[in-house]
Amino acid sequence: PSDVAEYALRLGDDALVLAQRLGWWIARAPEIEEDIALANIALDELGHARSFLSYAGSAWGKNEDDLAYFRDEPEWRSAHIFELPNGDFAHTIVRQFAVSHFQCELYARLAASADETLAAIAAKAVKEVDYHRDHSVHWLLRLALGTEESERRTRIALDDVWPYVDELFRDDALIDALPHVAVRPSELRPSFDAAVSSVLAEAGLESSTRFTARGGGRDGIHSEHLGTLLAEMQVLARQHPGLSW
Amino acid sequence: PSDVAEYALRLGDDALVLAQRLGWWIARAPEIEEDIALANIALDELGHARSFLSYAGSAWGKNEDDLAYFRDEPEWRSAHIFELPNGDFAHTIVRQFAVSHFQCELYARLAASADETLAAIAAKAVKEVDYHRDHSVHWLLRLALGTEESERRTRIALDDVWPYVDELFRDDALIDALPHVAVRPSELRPSFDAAVSSVLAEAGLESSTRFTARGGGRDGIHSEHLGTLLAEMQVLARQHPGLSW
Amino acid sequence: ADGRTRFEELIAADDRVEPSDWMPEAYRKTLVRQISQHAHSEVIGMQPEANWIGRAPSLKRKAILMAKVQDEAGHGLYLYSAAQTLGTDRDTMFEQLIAGSAKYSSIFNYLTPTWADMGSIGWLVDGAAICNQVPLCRASYGPYGRAMVRICKEESFHQRQGFEILLSLMAGTPEQRAMAQESVNRWYWPALMMFGPPDDESPNSQQSMAWNIKRLSNDGLRQRFIDMLVPQAEVLGVTLPDPDLRWNEERGHYDHGPLDWDEFHEVLAGRGQANAQRLERRRQAHEDGAWVREAARAYAERMAARREERFEKVAS
Amino acid sequence: ADGRTRFEELIAADDRVEPSDWMPEAYRKTLVRQISQHAHSEVIGMQPEANWIGRAPSLKRKAILMAKVQDEAGHGLYLYSAAQTLGTDRDTMFEQLIAGSAKYSSIFNYLTPTWADMGSIGWLVDGAAICNQVPLCRASYGPYGRAMVRICKEESFHQRQGFEILLSLMAGTPEQRAMAQESVNRWYWPALMMFGPPDDESPNSQQSMAWNIKRLSNDGLRQRFIDMLVPQAEVLGVTLPDPDLRWNEERGHYDHGPLDWDEFHEVLAGRGQANAQRLERRRQAHEDGAWVREAARAYAERMAARREERFEKVAS
C-alpha cells in the first residue's frame, strides 16, 4: 500500500508542478484565448494532482495540502521535465507537447490498473490530457510552420526540452514492486516515439539527441528549478502552518 | 532611538531589496564585464544594507539576519522602485539610474547627520554609489544612443520605471521626528531632477509624467513584486529557524 | 420603415436593438466606449488576482482562483465580441488600452498585498460589479445584454467564493481574522466608488438611461449595494469601515458617510497604486506574444492557401 | 636566432614563452584548447553557485557567495585574455562554447540541490582546482602562467570559504550535519575525476609535460589531493565516501578505491545531470544580451566618429 502511495505521489507531483508552472501564464498569454486554454490545462493538471495526492496521503494519514505544502525538495518525486521554467511560449508548448503525449500513453494504460482508485483517476484524466495533447500539437505545428522567427524559437525550445524526455521512461524498483498496478514507463516509449515523431515530421522538426539529462526526480534529486518554484508555492501556507483557508 | 532605527530600516531595506534583484544578473549578464559590474553594485548595496540593518537591529536586540529573514512583507520599509522586477537590461539600468542618483544625493547629505553611525555608513557608501551612478549613466547613454532597438527598449523602460520615482522624495512623520538626523527627501528632489534631466537630455530622452505610483513602501504597503522576492530570499532561513550558517 | 423610427420604436417598447438595426452614431459610440471599457476591466482585472495563483494557501483555493481568473478572460472575450458587432475590432481596442487612450475600472489599480484580498475582491468588487451588471442584462443593445446575462451568472458564483474565503479567515486564528478585516478596510471605499461619481456629477448618465443602456442611477446602485453588504458583513463578523453607517428607518435604507472623491480622481488621473504596473504588464504580455500571434496568422494563411490549391485541383 | 631554436631553448631552460615568440602550431593549438576550456569552465562554473545567491541563509554568506561567483567571472576574463594573445578572439571562443564544440570541466554538470553544496564546491571542487592549477603557475606560456598566479590566490580563499561553510554546518544541528555529509558524498568522487583519466589513458599528457605546460601527471595530482583532503575531513568531522581509503605506510600516501570512469564518460558524452541546462542558460544569457552588446558597439563607433570629426575640425 505504501508502494502504491509512492507511485501515486510521483503522478501527483508531476501534475502539480506542471499546474504551478502553467498557472503563471494566466494573464500573461499571447492572446486571451490562450489565457483560457492554458488555464484549462493547468486546472486539469491541478485536478489530477489533487486526486493522486489525496490518494497517496490516505496511506500516510495526510491530506493533499500536507503533501503539497509541507514537503521539502528531496521529498518531491516530480520528473525534471515538469520542473523546467516556462521560458518563452515555444518552450512551454514543447514541454507540453512532450508531457501530454507521455501522460496520454500513461493514463490510457493506468485506466486498466489493478488498483481501482488509480484506474478511476486515470480513466477520467485521460480524456483531459487528450485535449492537452491536441492543443500542444496544433501549436507546435503553427509555431514550426508559422514565421521564420517562430520556427527558430521552436527549434531552440526542442533542443532545450528534449534532453529531459528520457527520464520519463525509466523503470525502477518501485515499478517492479507494483506489477499490474503501475504502468511500466519503458513500455510507453515506442508509442510515444511513434506519435511524437510523426508530428515532428509534419512540423519539419527533428529532436536532438545531443544531451540526455540524468534526471533523478523519482529519487528526490531535482533540477535547480524546483527549489524556487516550491519557495513561491509554499510560502503562505508555511508562514501559517496548520491553519485552514 | 527607535525612530532612528526605523529610519535605518528604510535605508537598509532599499539596499537589500536592490541587492537581491541585482544578484539575479550574476551569470546572466549581457557580457562577462557586466556580470562583474552588476555583482559589484549588488555587493556594495548588500554591504550598505548590512550596516543599516545591523544598526537598526541594535535598537531592538536583533541582528541583520533576524531583520532580513524573519520579517513578513508588511514589516518591510522598501520603496516600490527597489522592488521592481529586473525586466530586460534596459529596465535594470533605468531603475539603477534613478536609484543611484537618489542614493548619491541622500548619502552625501546623510554623511553630515547628527547620528554618528548613520553619518559614518553614509560617508563610506557615498563613494560607492557614486560609481553606481556613473555606471548607470554610461549605460543609459549607450543604450539610448546605440541602436534603434536599444533606444526603443530604453524608452519603454523609462516609461515603466519613472512612475515609481516620486515615492522616493516624500517626507513623512518619521522624517519630521528626526531633524538633523534624517535627510529630508523632498530637499533632494531639485538636485536629483537637475542631475537626471541633464543626462536624459544628452540621451535624447524625456521622462513621462503620465503615471505616478502611489507607493506606500515606507508604511509597509508594497508592490505586488515584493512577496515573491521575499519568498525566495527567506526560504532556506525560514525552513530552519534559529540556526547558524 | 425608416431606421431611426424603428430604433425609436424599439427603445420605446424596451426591446433589443440588434447589430443589423440602424442606430444613432452617438448610441453606437457610447456602447463601444462602455463595452470596451468593460472588456478591458475584465482583462486588467485578471492581474490583481493572478498575483496569488502561485501562492494560494491550499490546492482547493488555488483551483478556485485559477478558474476565477480564467472566467474573467472569458468575460473579456464575450465583451470584445459584443463590441466587435458595433464595428470596432479587438486589435484596435487592445491598442487603445495599451496606449492608455481607453479606460478600465479604477478598482483594479489597487494592490493585493495579502491573501485576504482574494476574499475582498470577490465579496466587495464582484459584489459591486453584480449590482452594476444585473440591470445591464436588460440593456437595449442585444449582444451586450446577452453577454451580461452569461457574465452575471458567473459573477454571483465569484462573489460567493470571495465571501467564503473571508468566512474561512474569520473562522480562523486572530491573525487570520485581522488579515480579513484589514483587507476589507482597504477595499470597502474603493468598491463603493465603482458605481461612479454622484448622480449630479455624472453627465452622461441621463442619455444612457434614455437609451435603456443604463437602468439605475449611480447613487441608487450604490445604495442597493450597501443595503446588501451590511447583513453579509454581520454574518462574516467584519466591520465595515464607515462610522456613519446606520439604518435609516424612514428611508428604509442605510445611511453612509461621505466618499472621498479626491481619492477617486487621483486614481483616475494615473496616481493610484498600480496604474503603471497594470498597463506595463498588459503591454509586456502583448509584446511578448506578438511573434506567436504572427506565427498563428502566417500558419492560417498557409493552410488556407493549401486548401484553395487542393480545391482548384479537384475542380479542374 | 631561428624561432624554433629559441623556442626550444626557452623550454629547455624552463623559461616563459611570450606571445611575440615563435611557437609550434601544435603548442599554440594545445594552449588555446586548454586555456579556453579553462575559461569556459570558470564561466559555466558560475551557474551552480549562482543558483544559491538568491537563497543564501545569511547576509554574510550571501555576500561571500556573490563575491565568489564574481571572482569566477573575473577568472574567465583573465583566461580569455590569455587565450586571445594566441590569436583567437573571445567571440569565437564563446560561439564554440555555445555550439557545444568547446568543452568545459565536467564537474559543473552536477547539480546543487542543497546549500551544503556551496560548501562542497568550495572545499572539494576548488580544492581540486587548486591542486591542478598551482603547477600551472609555472606553465611555459607566459600569459597563461601569470593568469594562473592571480587565479590561484583567489581560489585558495574560495576553498577556505567552502571549508568554513561545511564547518558551520558540522557544528550545527543533526539536520545540518546530515546536509553536509550528504553533499560531500555526492561531490567527492566527481571531484577526484577532475584530474582527468588515469595516466595510462591520458594520451596528450606526455606532450604537454614535454612543453612545460603540464607539470604533474593526473594520477599524481589526484594522490596529492586525496592526501590533502583526509586530514581536513577529520577536522570537519565528515566521512569521505570511500571504504577503501586508508594510509599506506610504505607508499607514504593514502590508498583509495577505484573510480567509476563509466560515470565520467557518461557525463562527458552529454548524459550528466545538467549538461543541457548549463549550455541552455549560457546561450540564453548570450542571446538576451545581444541587443545590449550591439548597442554598446554602435555607441562606441558613433563616439569614435565624433572624436575624429572634432579632430579634423581642429586640424583643418
Side-chain angles (χ1 to χ4, degrees):
Chain A
S2 169
D3 281 347
V4 177
E6 273 292 337
Y7 183 64
L9 196 62
R10 292 183 178 184
L11 304 176
D13 284 354
D14 284 353
L16 179 52
V17 168
L18 182 59
Q20 179 74 6
R21 283 285 183 229
L22 292 175
W24 179 89
W25 279 105
I26 306 173
R28 288 186 177 94
E31 46 190 31
I32 308 179
E33 287 82 352
E34 273 310 295
D35 282 304
I36 295 173
L38 292 171
N40 256 334
I41 300 175
L43 275 166
D44 289 343
E45 294 284 336
L46 182 54
H48 308 162
R50 294 178 66 193
S51 301
F52 285 126
L53 293 183
S54 295
Y55 185 44
S58 67
W60 303 313
K62 298 193 173 203
N63 65 31
E64 59 182 44
D65 289 331
D66 296 334
L67 293 176
Y69 292 97
F70 295 94
R71 276 182 301 151
D72 291 341
E73 189 177 324
E75 301 165 84
W76 283 72
R77 294 292 173 264
S78 42
H80 290 204
I81 193 169
F82 294 94
E83 301 167 6
L84 292 180
N86 285 326
D88 65 4
F89 189 70
H91 280 81
T92 290
I93 289 299
V94 172
R95 181 185 63 199
Q96 197 59 43
F97 174 71
V99 302
S100 59
H101 273 88
F102 166 72
Q103 288 180 325
C104 260
E105 301 293 340
L106 172 64
Y107 293 162
R109 283 165 186 76
L110 191 62
S113 170
D115 183 291
E116 282 175 25
T117 308
L118 290 178
I121 300 171
K124 185 172 171 293
V126 72
K127 289 170 217 150
E128 295 174 347
V129 295
D130 191 52
Y131 159 76
H132 307 174
R133 187 175 56 176
D134 281 356
H135 173 266
S136 70
V137 167
H138 284 138
W139 269 113
L140 192 79
L141 293 172
R142 276 191 207 113
L143 296 183
L145 305 172
T147 63
E148 249 178 67
E149 172 70 359
S150 69
E151 187 198 337
R152 186 186 71 83
R153 286 176 182 261
T154 309
R155 286 186 191 283
I156 291 173
L158 197 66
D159 280 352
D160 289 345
V161 170
W162 226 251
Y164 299 91
V165 165
D166 195 70
E167 183 189 8
L168 296 171
F169 299 99
R170 294 190 199 139
D171 304 331
D172 65 2
L174 181 67
I175 301 295
D176 292 340
L178 292 168
H180 310 300
V181 170
V183 174
R184 187 162 280 278
S186 60
E187 288 176 3
L188 305 175
R189 186 85 208 221
S191 39
F192 173 91
D193 282 345
V196 151
S197 48
S198 96
V199 179
L200 291 180
E202 189 180 344
L205 298 171
E206 239 177 298
S207 63
S208 145
T209 53
R210 182 167 152 212
F211 296 122
T212 303
R214 183 168 295 179
R218 305 310 186 198
D219 301 314
I221 299 161
H222 292 283
S223 70
E224 286 172 1
H225 313 296
L226 185 63
T228 42
L229 180 146
L230 295 180
E232 179 179 357
M233 187 171 86
Q234 300 178 332
V235 63
L236 179 59
R238 287 192 175 213
Q239 248 171 48
H240 311 272
L243 304 194
S244 289
W245 299 92
Chain B
S2 170
D3 279 347
V4 176
E6 273 292 336
Y7 183 62
L9 196 62
R10 292 183 178 183
L11 305 176
D13 284 354
D14 284 353
L16 180 52
V17 168
L18 181 59
Q20 179 75 6
R21 283 285 183 227
L22 292 175
W24 179 90
W25 278 105
I26 307 173
R28 288 187 177 93
E31 48 190 30
I32 307 179
E33 287 81 352
E34 272 310 296
D35 282 305
I36 295 173
L38 292 171
N40 256 333
I41 301 175
L43 275 165
D44 289 343
E45 294 285 336
L46 181 55
H48 308 162
R50 294 179 65 193
S51 300
F52 286 125
L53 293 182
S54 294
Y55 185 45
S58 67
W60 303 314
K62 299 194 173 206
N63 65 32
E64 59 182 44
D65 289 332
D66 296 333
L67 292 176
Y69 292 97
F70 294 95
R71 275 183 302 151
D72 291 342
E73 190 177 322
E75 301 166 83
W76 283 72
R77 294 292 173 261
S78 41
H80 290 204
I81 193 169
F82 294 95
E83 302 167 5
L84 292 180
N86 285 326
D88 65 4
F89 189 70
H91 280 82
T92 290
I93 289 299
V94 171
R95 181 185 62 198
Q96 196 60 42
F97 174 71
V99 301
S100 59
H101 273 88
F102 166 72
Q103 288 180 323
C104 261
E105 301 294 339
L106 172 64
Y107 294 162
R109 283 165 186 77
L110 191 62
S113 169
D115 184 289
E116 283 175 24
T117 309
L118 290 179
I121 300 172
K124 186 171 170 293
V126 72
K127 291 170 216 149
E128 295 173 347
V129 293
D130 190 52
Y131 159 77
H132 307 174
R133 187 176 53 175
D134 282 356
H135 174 266
S136 70
V137 166
H138 284 138
W139 268 114
L140 191 80
L141 293 173
R142 276 191 207 112
L143 296 183
L145 305 173
T147 63
E148 248 177 68
E149 171 70 0
S150 68
E151 187 198 337
R152 186 186 70 83
R153 286 176 182 262
T154 310
R155 286 187 190 283
I156 291 174
L158 198 66
D159 280 350
D160 289 345
V161 169
W162 226 251
Y164 299 92
V165 165
D166 196 69
E167 183 189 7
L168 296 171
F169 299 99
R170 296 192 198 137
D171 304 332
D172 65 2
L174 182 67
I175 301 295
D176 292 340
L178 292 168
H180 310 298
V181 170
V183 175
R184 188 162 281 277
S186 60
E187 288 176 3
L188 305 175
R189 187 82 208 226
S191 40
F192 174 90
D193 281 344
V196 151
S197 49
S198 96
V199 179
L200 291 181
E202 187 180 344
L205 297 172
E206 239 178 299
S207 63
S208 145
T209 53
R210 182 166 151 213
F211 296 122
T212 302
R214 183 168 295 178
R218 305 309 186 197
D219 301 314
I221 298 160
H222 292 284
S223 69
E224 286 172 1
H225 313 297
L226 185 64
T228 43
L229 180 146
L230 295 181
E232 180 180 357
M233 187 172 86
Q234 300 179 332
V235 63
L236 179 59
R238 288 192 174 211
Q239 246 169 51
H240 310 273
L243 304 193
S244 290
W245 299 93
Chain C
D2 159 48
R4 179 179 307 273
T5 316
R6 163 139 176 88
F7 175 80
E8 281 162 5
E9 281 168 6
L10 285 172
I11 296 294
D14 204 353
D15 247 345
R16 298 276 206 203
V17 178
E18 295 299 334
S20 54
D21 291 328
W22 181 92
M23 60 190 85
E25 247 342 275
Y27 177 85
R28 184 186 300 272
K29 254 181 141 168
T30 300
L31 276 168
V32 168
R33 189 172 41 81
Q34 177 166 341
I35 302 174
S36 69
Q37 275 187 25
H38 195 154
H40 296 331
S41 299
E42 295 285 354
V43 169
I44 295 287
M46 296 167 72
Q47 291 184 34
E49 291 174 291
N51 181 35
W52 282 94
I53 288 177
R55 291 177 287 164
S58 80
L59 296 186
K60 184 182 151 199
R61 292 289 176 210
K62 189 192 284 283
I64 292 173
L65 187 59
M66 269 190 193
K68 184 183 169 187
V69 183
Q70 186 191 36
D71 283 347
E72 287 157 4
H75 298 175
L77 275 189
Y78 302 160
L79 288 160
Y80 284 124
S81 299
Q84 276 174 305
T85 62
L86 292 157
T88 307
D89 65 78
R90 203 209 296 180
D91 282 354
T92 308
M93 291 184 272
F94 242 84
E95 297 297 339
Q96 288 168 346
L97 171 63
I98 287 168
S101 58
K103 292 211 173 73
Y104 57 86
S105 175
S106 259
I107 193 76
F108 300 118
N109 291 322
Y110 289 89
L111 295 170
T112 53
T114 78
W115 169 253
D117 295 335
M118 301 303 100
S120 296
I121 288 185
W123 182 44
L124 297 171
V125 176
D126 292 333
I130 293 169
C131 284
N132 248 331
Q133 290 167 2
V134 166
L136 287 173
C137 295
R138 296 184 292 120
S140 57
Y141 187 60
Y144 189 32
R146 286 188 292 272
M148 290 318 305
V149 172
R150 297 175 69 178
I151 290 174
C152 279
K153 259 188 227 153
E154 294 180 359
E155 290 287 11
S156 71
F157 190 57
H158 294 167
Q159 205 218 357
R160 213 170 52 230
Q161 287 165 350
F163 186 82
E164 261 176 35
I165 288 177
L166 292 176
L167 203 59
S168 293
L169 291 174
M170 292 306 290
T173 62
E175 212 177 348
Q176 284 176 306
R177 279 198 294 278
M179 189 193 271
Q181 181 65 58
E182 187 274 337
S183 172
V184 168
N185 290 350
R186 277 186 287 110
W187 289 95
Y188 177 73
W189 291 107
L192 293 193
M193 294 193 240
M194 286 174 68
F195 298 96
D199 292 345
D200 48 11
E201 292 168 31
S202 182
N204 301 319
S205 287
Q206 209 82 40
Q207 177 62 72
S208 278
M209 289 176 84
W211 275 332
N212 296 344
I213 299 174
K214 204 175 165 79
R215 297 287 181 164
L216 291 165
S217 80
N218 294 355
D219 288 330
L221 286 165
R222 191 160 19 238
Q223 182 69 61
R224 183 182 280 197
F225 179 56
I226 293 173
D227 291 348
M228 185 189 87
L229 280 187
V230 175
Q232 293 180 356
E234 277 164 19
V235 173
L236 282 175
V238 297
T239 307
L240 297 176
D242 178 358
D244 299 325
L245 191 67
R246 64 180 55 87
W247 178 251
N248 183 324
E249 191 69 45
E250 206 171 312
R251 294 203 303 127
H253 289 294
Y254 283 90
D255 288 341
H256 62 84
L259 280 73
D260 179 2
W261 291 109
D262 288 348
E263 159 71 14
F264 181 76
H265 291 294
E266 275 293 290
V267 179
L268 218 57
R271 293 188 291 271
Q273 288 180 328
N275 307 53
Q277 177 184 323
R278 299 290 179 238
L279 226 49
E280 189 270 332
R281 164 88 165 270
R282 182 87 315 254
R283 194 209 62 229
Q284 195 65 51
H286 196 67
E287 280 182 7
D288 287 349
W291 69 270
V292 178
R293 294 190 302 274
E294 273 159 36
R297 215 162 16 238
Y299 181 77
E301 278 163 19
R302 187 186 285 212
M303 289 301 111
R306 202 182 284 177
R307 263 194 303 278
E308 207 154 305
E309 235 170 73
R310 214 183 308 145
F311 175 77
E312 271 165 28
K313 254 190 219 151
V314 173
S316 69
Chain D
D2 159 47
R4 178 179 307 272
T5 316
R6 162 135 177 91
F7 175 80
E8 280 162 6
E9 280 167 5
L10 284 171
I11 296 294
D14 205 353
D15 249 346
R16 298 277 206 202
V17 178
E18 294 299 336
S20 54
D21 291 328
W22 180 92
M23 60 190 83
E25 246 345 273
Y27 177 85
R28 182 185 303 272
K29 252 182 141 167
T30 299
L31 276 168
V32 169
R33 189 172 42 81
Q34 178 167 340
I35 301 174
S36 69
Q37 275 186 26
H38 196 154
H40 297 330
S41 299
E42 295 285 355
V43 170
I44 295 287
M46 296 167 72
Q47 290 183 33
E49 289 173 291
N51 180 36
W52 282 94
I53 288 177
R55 290 177 288 163
S58 79
L59 296 186
K60 184 180 151 201
R61 292 289 175 211
K62 189 192 283 282
I64 293 173
L65 187 59
M66 268 190 195
K68 185 184 168 186
V69 183
Q70 186 191 36
D71 282 347
E72 286 157 6
H75 298 176
L77 275 190
Y78 303 160
L79 289 160
Y80 284 123
S81 299
Q84 276 174 307
T85 62
L86 292 157
T88 306
D89 65 77
R90 205 211 291 182
D91 282 353
T92 308
M93 291 184 273
F94 243 82
E95 297 297 340
Q96 289 169 345
L97 171 62
I98 286 168
S101 58
K103 291 213 173 71
Y104 57 85
S105 177
S106 260
I107 194 77
F108 300 117
N109 291 321
Y110 290 88
L111 295 170
T112 53
T114 78
W115 169 252
D117 295 335
M118 300 303 98
S120 296
I121 288 184
W123 182 45
L124 297 171
V125 176
D126 293 333
I130 293 168
C131 285
N132 248 331
Q133 291 167 0
V134 165
L136 287 174
C137 295
R138 297 183 292 121
S140 57
Y141 186 60
Y144 189 32
R146 287 188 292 272
M148 290 318 305
V149 171
R150 296 175 68 179
I151 291 174
C152 279
K153 260 186 227 155
E154 295 180 357
E155 289 287 12
S156 72
F157 190 58
H158 295 167
Q159 204 218 358
R160 213 171 51 232
Q161 287 164 348
F163 186 82
E164 262 177 35
I165 288 176
L166 292 176
L167 203 59
S168 292
L169 290 174
M170 292 305 292
T173 62
E175 212 178 347
Q176 284 177 307
R177 280 199 293 279
M179 190 194 270
Q181 181 65 56
E182 186 274 339
S183 172
V184 168
N185 291 351
R186 275 185 289 111
W187 288 96
Y188 177 73
W189 291 106
L192 294 193
M193 294 193 240
M194 285 174 68
F195 299 95
D199 293 344
D200 48 11
E201 292 167 31
S202 181
N204 303 320
S205 288
Q206 209 81 38
Q207 178 61 72
S208 279
M209 289 176 86
W211 276 332
N212 295 344
I213 299 174
K214 205 175 165 76
R215 296 286 181 164
L216 291 163
S217 79
N218 295 354
D219 288 330
L221 286 164
R222 189 157 25 235
Q223 183 70 59
R224 182 182 279 199
F225 179 56
I226 293 172
D227 291 348
M228 186 190 87
L229 280 188
V230 175
Q232 294 180 353
E234 277 165 19
V235 173
L236 282 175
V238 298
T239 307
L240 296 175
D242 178 358
D244 298 326
L245 190 69
R246 62 181 55 87
W247 179 250
N248 183 325
E249 191 69 48
E250 205 171 312
R251 294 203 303 128
H253 289 295
Y254 284 91
D255 288 342
H256 63 84
L259 279 75
D260 179 3
W261 292 108
D262 287 347
E263 158 71 14
F264 181 77
H265 291 294
E266 275 294 289
V267 179
L268 218 58
R271 293 188 290 273
Q273 289 179 328
N275 307 53
Q277 176 184 324
R278 298 292 178 237
L279 227 49
E280 189 269 333
R281 163 92 164 265
R282 182 88 310 259
R283 194 208 62 230
Q284 194 66 51
H286 196 69
E287 279 181 8
D288 287 349
W291 70 270
V292 178
R293 295 189 301 274
E294 272 159 37
R297 214 160 20 236
Y299 180 78
E301 279 163 21
R302 185 187 285 213
M303 290 300 111
R306 203 181 285 177
R307 264 193 304 277
E308 208 154 302
E309 235 170 73
R310 215 182 308 147
F311 175 78
E312 273 166 26
K313 256 190 220 151
V314 174
S316 70

